[in-house]
Amino acid sequence: MRHRTALLCLCLVLAGCSSSAPAPGTTTATDAPCSTTVEYEQRPVPELPSNATRETALSFAESHAEALAWNDSIQSAEFGLSVTSDAAVVNRTPDGFIIHVTGGVTYQGCTDGDVWVADGGLGANYFVNETTAVRLNQPRNTTDDPCEHGGEVVA
């Protein structure tokens, strides 16, 4: 994951580089401040699955984590925003599934005509079944049960 994020940052930094000079009368990215701003919309959080299987619990946890990360980041992103995640079931309990979600957030902005890129991570454990979902943000261990470690009920 870190390699993809580092590669993305490097690509973004190098995106404006060119070895040829612009034609006379044209402007380059350095001639004008970066003024493009995108209005990002909130993403809805998913509904709790009515039948919690391994696949539906994974899908719920990953989609929920991505929606929260996106919604938390849209105020900081001026013209570039990306959220990635990966989820894995780490435990099947008699009552549901414990799922560990990891990922990252990358957003771009502009200060005084200079483009900047910021990265952040996301990590959470979810307990999911047909009646409830509990989220533990930034768990100490991938197997920590959110119901037993102070998680927040999210659905």
Side-chain angles (χ1 to χ4, degrees), residues 84-102:
T84 60
S85 67
D86 186 39
V89 172
V90 294
N91 199 3
R92 169 72 165 118
T93 71
D95 299 324
F97 297 89
I98 298 172
I99 298 154
H100 182 67
V101 181
T102 58

Side-chain angles (χ1 to χ4, degrees), residues 56-78:
T56 62
L58 272 169
S59 179
F60 170 84
E62 189 169 15
S63 296
H64 191 274
E66 282 187 8
L68 290 183
W70 178 273
N71 294 342
D72 287 345
S73 300
I74 59 176
Q75 297 302 318
S76 300
E78 295 175 16

